[in-house]
Amino acid sequence: SIAALMPVDVPEEDWASLQIVFATSDGDVRQNDLSDFTNVKRNGKIVVEVATGGKTKNGAVKRTRRVAANMTQAKKLETKLKSERDRGLLIPSANLTVGTFLQQWSDQLDDKVLKARTIESYRQNIRDHIIPHIGSIKLTNLHQTHVNHMMKTLEDNNLGPNSRRITKRVLSTALSYAERNDLVARNAAKLSEKISVPKRKPLYIQPEQLSDLFVSMQGHRFEDLYYLYAHTGIRRGEGLGIKWSDVHMETTPPTVTIQRSWTQIGNHYEITSPKTEDSIRQVPITPELVQRLTKRKQEAIQRQFEPNTTDVEDQYVFATIDGIPYRGDAVTKELAKIGNSAGIPNIGPHQLRHLHASMVLGQGIDIAVLSKHLGHTNIGTTVNIYTHQTKNMISNIGDVVNAAISLINSK
């Protein structure tokens, strides 16, 4: 109970700097900030209030309020909330909407943990597919029926099943964060209806079609690049990220080092690390490819004497006159045009990668070796992609065993 009130001649806006010295019923003398006593509820619990940043529609500073059982807990809670706020983490709020939460969540994604392309993909899905449909709903009110309705609307708007599944996965990832941090009681995306994605049959081209394709691309500005894809099986961005310093035509065997990728992020491209750590590798190149690259490098050496030209070794092998790698989408579109003229529709750089891998497997190369050659993280990926080839290999096991036993019996 309060024994006495002592007025002070201090403006109210300065009260936060005042302290109160008092004695407890046990005879202890304590000292507290005056603000500690302004938020005590009738039941004795302490209201902790922290500014979260930003302004309300009325121009007031946004704040969040939490209740603690006692002063010790209140101090710890206040410290925790301020620390989370200063680190850019979200602080629980009864009025937090799904849209505001997703924007704040995506803003604090760490590019040291996720690739820039992944972060941009998250933000684009949030911006284009999620916020327009459920962004105004309070986060704590979000229910799986809201997610189901959103997915049905996206389907009606002709968004494909795989794109809808990716959108749902982004929402689920964000809500898992919210669930771990007590912003929601459950993950509504995980509880929503499953999205069925039909398994697409991979588009493969046959080795005998390759000669027709090469004839159709003669003289094209991307001709050498397409040869590189077919002869090495590297990814589109990996080929565009190669510099002359990565090409080792004097070694035995000649190789190219894959250590960067020209990656599309949103509407622009930038140099990134390859897809995975296992994608950093040495890839052998064929004699025909050596001839083409030798001629191309000689042309680059001649151009290095032009003004504002960098040293040849630091130049990208497949680039514009300004030294910038070609756009990946342009490379894909041009190959599709060439494929159509050769009677091979819907072909892209990835189909050349598949063709290369199929031809290598057809020559009896171990699939574990092929997996490393392609830069896959694990052999399971390679087996799953080239199931049609591995089935043929399995069907031939009987013939191989029979031939081996016959050889033994003949001795």
Side-chain angles (χ1 to χ4, degrees):
S1 62
I2 298 175
L5 293 175
M6 300 178 63
V8 291
D9 188 19
V10 177
E12 185 175 346
E13 58 266 25
D14 294 331
W15 283 5
S17 62
L18 297 179
Q19 292 189 326
I20 294 180
V21 179
F22 62 96
T24 68
S25 58
D26 296 332
D28 295 330
V29 177
R30 295 185 181 179
Q31 180 175 318
N32 279 73
D33 292 337
L34 177 61
S35 59
D36 292 339
F37 295 90
T38 59
N39 290 323
V40 180
K41 303 181 79 173
R42 287 188 177 183
N43 59 8
K45 292 187 176 181
I46 313 299
V47 178
V48 179
E49 184 177 284
V50 173
T52 57
K55 301 279 188 179
T56 65
K57 293 181 179 180
N58 298 326
V61 176
K62 289 184 178 180
R63 297 176 179 274
T64 188
R65 293 177 177 85
R66 301 280 291 278
V67 176
N70 53 54
M71 190 62 68
T72 301
Q73 289 185 11
K75 286 292 185 182
K76 290 181 179 179
L77 181 58
E78 181 184 34
T79 301
K80 178 176 178 288
L81 292 175
K82 287 182 176 179
S83 175
E84 291 178 348
R85 177 198 62 194
D86 295 342
R87 286 187 292 140
L89 302 179
L90 297 171
I91 298 176
S93 169
N95 295 318
L96 183 65
T97 64
V98 172
T100 300
F101 160 70
L102 289 174
Q103 288 174 338
Q104 293 179 359
W105 173 79
S106 64
D107 286 344
Q108 54 91 37
L109 291 174
D110 190 352
D111 58 6
K112 295 182 178 64
V113 177
L114 296 172
K115 289 183 176 293
R117 183 175 184 177
T118 302
I119 293 175
E120 177 58 31
S121 173
Y122 282 6
R123 291 172 179 167
Q124 184 174 354
N125 269 285
I126 289 169
R127 182 175 60 249
D128 296 346
H129 302 320
I130 302 177
I131 288 181
H133 299 287
I134 60 174
S136 61
I137 298 173
K138 285 186 178 181
L139 182 62
T140 52
N141 292 342
L142 184 65
H143 191 265
Q144 56 264 36
T145 55
H146 295 124
V147 181
N148 291 335
H149 184 265
M150 177 182 74
M151 289 299 157
K152 182 63 171 65
T153 303
L154 291 175
E155 182 180 9
D156 293 342
N157 291 340
N158 297 318
L159 189 68
N162 193 52
S163 296
R164 297 199 309 276
R165 182 172 65 175
I166 292 172
T167 298
K168 178 182 171 182
R169 187 183 303 153
V170 171
L171 178 60
S172 181
T173 301
L175 292 178
S176 292
Y177 169 92
E179 192 175 18
R180 290 193 306 271
N181 289 274
D182 298 324
L183 297 175
V184 295
R186 68 199 185 288
N187 188 329
K190 284 185 178 179
L191 297 173
S192 64
E193 295 175 2
K194 184 179 179 180
I195 299 174
S196 177
V197 180
K199 190 172 183 180
R200 293 186 300 177
K201 188 176 181 180
L203 174 65
Y204 295 111
I205 62 174
Q206 302 303 315
E208 55 268 20
Q209 295 177 297
L210 193 57
S211 58
D212 294 335
L213 188 67
F214 283 157
V215 168
S216 297
M217 69 175 62
Q218 285 181 358
H220 195 280
R221 62 188 174 123
F222 296 152
E223 181 181 359
D224 291 342
L225 179 59
Y226 296 146
Y227 266 81
L228 176 73
Y229 291 141
H231 281 242
T232 63
I234 61 177
R235 300 178 179 93
R236 185 184 74 179
E238 292 174 345
L240 293 170
I242 294 173
K243 291 185 175 183
W244 284 115
S245 57
D246 301 319
V247 181
H248 315 292
M249 292 182 284
E250 70 288 348
T251 61
T252 305
T255 63
V256 60
T257 301
I258 304 300
Q259 59 181 330
R260 66 184 72 82
S261 180
W262 185 235
T263 305
Q264 184 173 6
I265 301 175
N267 295 322
H268 71 283
Y269 283 81
E270 62 182 57
I271 288 294
T272 65
S273 57
K275 190 172 183 178
T276 66
E277 289 185 7
D278 294 293
S279 298
I280 301 175
R281 63 201 187 280
Q282 296 284 335
V283 177
I285 52 180
T286 61
E288 181 177 1
L289 197 53
V290 169
Q291 291 180 4
R292 287 180 170 273
L293 292 176
T294 299
K295 180 181 177 182
R296 193 175 188 88
K297 187 171 185 178
Q298 289 172 348
E299 294 171 353
I301 291 173
Q302 293 175 358
R303 289 196 303 271
Q304 77 171 335
F305 298 107
E306 298 176 4
N308 303 320
T309 303
T310 59
D311 180 73
V312 170
E313 293 301 307
D314 198 42
Q315 293 178 22
Y316 292 100
V317 178
F318 303 101
T320 66
I321 194 171
D322 297 323
I324 301 171
Y326 297 127
R327 287 182 61 95
D329 51 355
V331 170
T332 298
K333 288 177 182 177
E334 288 299 309
L335 183 56
K337 291 178 183 178
I338 294 170
N340 287 333
S341 65
I344 312 171
N346 303 317
I347 187 174
H350 213 68
Q351 280 67 52
L352 295 181
R353 175 174 165 86
H354 285 316
L355 174 61
H356 172 87
S358 297
M359 291 189 297
V360 169
L361 274 179
Q363 295 300 311
I365 295 295
D366 185 81
I367 196 164
V369 175
L370 175 64
S371 183
K372 290 184 178 297
H373 173 68
L374 294 175
H376 288 160
T377 301
N378 60 71
I379 190 173
T381 303
T382 318
V383 172
N384 290 336
I385 294 175
Y386 301 103
T387 301
H388 65 296
Q389 288 289 106
T390 53
K391 283 182 178 177
N392 293 335
M393 294 165 68
I394 292 172
S395 66
N396 293 331
I397 287 178
D399 295 334
V400 173
V401 173
N402 183 63
I405 293 176
S406 298
L407 181 62
I408 293 171
N409 293 334
S410 66
K411 291 183 179 180

